Amino acid sequence: MKSAVENLNPTRVRLTVEVPFEELKPSLDAAYKKINQQVTVAGFRKGKIPARVIDQRFGRGAVLEEAVNDALPKFYTEAVNEGDLNPLGQPEVDITELKDGELLAFTAEVDIRPAIEIPDYSGIEVEVDAVEVSDEDVDKSVEQLRERFASTSAVERAAAEGDVVTIDLEAKVEGEVLEDGVASGVSYTVGSGELLDGIDEAVTGLEAGGTATFTSELKGGSAEGKEAEVKVDVTAVQSRELPELDDEFAQLASEFDTLEELKADSRKRLEQMKKYEQATQAQEKVLDALIALVEVPIPEKLLEDEIQTRKHNLEHHQLQQMGLDIEGYLKIQNKSAEEFDAELREQAEKGIKTQFILDELVSKEQLSVGQEELTEHLMRRAQSSGMSPDQFAQAVVEGGQVPMLVGEVARGKALAVVVEAATVKDTNGETVDLDEEDETAETVEAASEDAAEGEKADEAAGDEKPEA
């Protein structure tokens, strides 16, 4: 077999392949055997029909077609390997010549991973938010904990801000009660703003047994976005009592003996949270800076497939779980369909570029993934998916997704190399040390997961075989 590669553009090639007819013999033999098992000819036992009889009865052309279809994937793969190519998707194959007993020639056009040159990235500099925890931040954290330990007691007076009321609701649109517009026994904290616009004003001043009507735009359900007349009945009013902020509260709400110890722990936790956020910010900014340094041509079909995959997952998984359709989502986001499509394209482009660049870095830096690293990553992914590690691992193996997980970890390690080489300073001008692996490991590995859907589409397309 002889093959040659012609570069059509940075992301597409044409393979020209010539196969001597003797190399088709195994596929010809297989074709005769297959046809033998499928047909019946009087005077011959099934499976024992001579080749010449098959040619006479069914035509040599049918045999050649079967043989070529059987042989094409093998010769295409050999040509790809000889050309040291990384194909993306299914090739477009054209048989240019088929001379019985002499030659098979064909061309195959296919998208490929582009050759990427990684420049020196040691000069990357980014600025991130400083880790600063104020006394107000600590007080707010302690106050939130205090809210969780609030107690309620029934009162015989009008509802005021901060009280917890039990209410029944009935919504009408154009005079008709909505099927999904009735709710009973709803517990609501006055002033929280967590239900409908206007409800706080409606229930304030009402005692148990009181009724009020107000107009509000519905935030969900069958009449989302429409103006509704809402009737609210207050069935109970309870006051909320917060515990005193003292050592006794600290002992009730935590393992600490004093309020000062509780506040010190809250400050420490807030600092850890802000350090994690700082590491995430650094990783994202370094990745953006790296992408800006590298020229990455993207195959148009791969980009379109990635956009459709992301849109499908958003519509049929994420939004479906939230009870929304794309129109409702766009309204909440205050975006037009054109703005949404442009944003989706930008995200898809970044995801593909991220994957291509980090995969090239994995190769350049000769990074490998150990079993322990893969197991740790699997545990984290299982936790975020809501599945047990065993269930998640089984799903990954059965779905053939182990290489995808290995790729995620490898790309995370590649980005970690770039982050380590970059200069990261906070808004106070202080150099940020990101060497604390426990704080940054999850953040760094997550960088390449945004391209996971694209990799699935890439792998699925790569599994398809060419046919004549």
Side-chain angles (χ1 to χ4, degrees):
M1 185 196 83
K2 293 191 303 182
S3 66
V5 179
E6 177 187 358
N7 292 311
L8 302 177
N9 60 49
T11 64
R12 192 166 180 84
V13 298
R14 178 188 292 123
L15 289 164
T16 301
V17 184
E18 292 185 357
V19 183
F21 206 80
E22 57 266 22
E23 294 185 31
L24 273 177
K25 188 176 185 308
S27 294
L28 275 170
D29 292 343
Y32 278 116
K33 185 175 181 180
K34 182 177 180 179
I35 294 173
N36 242 308
Q37 299 300 321
Q38 294 175 339
V39 301
T40 302
V41 177
F44 297 95
R45 285 183 296 164
K46 196 174 185 65
K48 299 295 184 180
I49 307 170
R52 60 179 177 76
V53 175
I54 291 177
D55 289 345
Q56 292 169 356
R57 291 293 186 92
F58 306 103
R60 175 73 166 173
V63 179
L64 288 175
E65 182 179 354
E66 181 66 38
V68 169
N69 281 336
D70 176 73
L72 270 179
K74 170 179 174 291
F75 293 126
Y76 166 74
T77 301
E78 287 182 9
V80 165
N81 292 337
E82 284 182 7
D84 195 23
L85 304 174
N86 290 308
L88 300 170
Q90 185 179 18
E92 295 178 7
V93 177
D94 182 26
I95 296 176
T96 56
E97 193 172 359
L98 178 57
K99 291 183 179 178
D100 194 355
E102 295 183 28
L103 180 74
L104 164 65
F106 67 92
T107 62
E109 290 190 16
V110 66
D111 288 332
I112 59 168
R113 278 178 176 254
I116 298 175
E117 188 69 31
I118 304 293
D120 180 17
Y121 48 78
S122 61
I124 290 177
E125 295 185 12
V126 298
E127 184 181 73
V128 295
D129 295 334
V131 174
E132 296 174 343
V133 178
S134 65
D135 291 343
E136 290 76 13
D137 292 332
V138 175
D139 291 342
K140 183 178 179 182
S141 175
V142 173
E143 188 63 25
Q144 289 173 343
L145 181 62
R146 187 184 177 207
E147 291 276 350
R148 289 167 52 188
F149 284 84
S151 59
T152 58
S153 57
V155 292
E156 294 183 2
R157 59 167 173 77
E161 184 170 347
D163 288 341
V164 177
V165 292
T166 303
I167 54 177
D168 297 336
L169 296 166
E170 181 184 84
K172 292 181 180 179
V173 172
E174 297 177 354
E176 296 291 330
V177 177
L178 299 172
E179 288 186 12
D180 55 353
V182 178
S184 301
V186 177
S187 181
Y188 177 70
T189 301
V190 181
S192 66
E194 294 176 350
L195 276 177
L196 298 168
D197 293 337
I199 193 168
D200 289 321
E201 294 81 0
V203 298
T204 299
L206 293 181
E207 298 183 15
T211 298
T213 302
F214 63 100
T215 301
S216 181
E217 181 179 312
L218 298 179
K219 297 179 179 180
S222 61
E224 179 184 359
K226 293 184 177 180
E227 289 287 326
E229 182 182 86
V230 183
K231 186 180 77 164
V232 55
D233 297 319
V234 176
T235 59
V237 178
Q238 295 178 308
S239 66
R240 297 176 75 249
E241 297 178 7
L242 297 174
E244 291 293 327
L245 277 178
D246 52 22
D247 292 347
E248 186 176 337
F249 167 69
Q251 294 165 20
L252 169 69
S254 70
E255 69 272 27
F256 301 105
D257 293 327
T258 67
L259 183 60
E260 287 307 309
E261 289 176 326
L262 174 60
K263 286 185 175 183
D265 182 70
S266 294
R267 183 179 295 275
K268 181 179 178 181
R269 289 175 183 273
L270 290 171
E271 286 175 350
Q272 290 174 336
M273 186 183 303
K274 286 182 177 288
K275 283 182 180 179
Y276 182 83
E277 292 171 352
Q278 186 187 64
T280 302
Q281 189 181 28
Q283 162 253 312
E284 290 174 348
K285 289 194 171 186
V286 168
L287 177 59
D288 288 341
L290 177 63
I291 291 174
L293 284 177
V294 186
E295 184 72 27
V296 185
I298 300 176
E300 189 60 33
K301 185 176 186 306
L302 179 66
L303 177 59
E304 293 304 322
D305 288 345
E306 174 71 356
I307 290 171
Q308 290 306 313
T309 297
R310 288 170 179 260
K311 192 170 186 178
H312 176 85
N313 286 344
L314 176 66
E315 288 188 53
H316 298 281
H317 296 290
Q318 300 170 39
L319 295 184
Q320 202 171 67
Q321 291 175 359
M322 297 164 61
L324 286 173
D325 57 16
I326 192 67
E327 288 76 17
Y329 171 76
L330 292 178
K331 186 169 185 179
I332 292 173
Q333 294 291 317
N334 195 27
K335 293 176 184 175
S336 67
E338 291 74 20
E339 290 172 331
F340 170 72
D341 288 341
E343 186 178 278
L344 201 60
R345 175 172 286 269
E346 183 180 345
Q347 292 171 351
E349 285 181 352
K350 182 178 179 181
I352 293 172
K353 287 181 179 180
T354 296
Q355 182 181 327
F356 283 178
I357 293 171
L358 295 183
D359 283 347
E360 183 64 27
L361 268 170
V362 168
S363 176
K364 180 180 179 180
E365 302 292 344
Q366 297 183 330
L367 302 174
S368 59
V369 176
Q371 183 61 49
E372 185 177 345
E373 293 170 314
L374 182 60
T375 300
E376 289 177 358
H377 183 62
L378 187 147
M379 297 280 282
R380 282 194 289 270
R381 287 292 301 273
Q383 187 175 19
S384 64
S385 71
M387 300 170 67
S388 72
D390 288 344
Q391 288 174 326
F392 186 79
Q394 184 178 350
V396 166
V397 172
E398 290 178 352
Q401 299 300 316
V402 173
M404 187 191 75
L405 284 188
V406 172
E408 288 176 3
V409 179
R411 285 190 286 275
K413 293 180 71 172
L415 183 55
V417 170
V418 184
V419 171
E420 186 177 353
T423 299
V424 181
K425 292 186 177 181
D426 65 20
T427 48
N428 293 329
E430 298 291 329
T431 299
V432 177
D433 183 7
L434 295 174
D435 289 337
E436 298 179 26
E437 186 177 342
D438 288 344
E439 291 181 1
T440 61
E442 291 182 35
T443 308
V444 170
E445 286 183 13
S448 63
E449 291 179 21
D450 187 47
E453 293 301 331
E455 183 178 13
K456 289 177 187 175
D458 176 359
E459 291 180 353
D463 287 339
E464 296 180 24
K465 298 180 179 179
E467 285 195 358

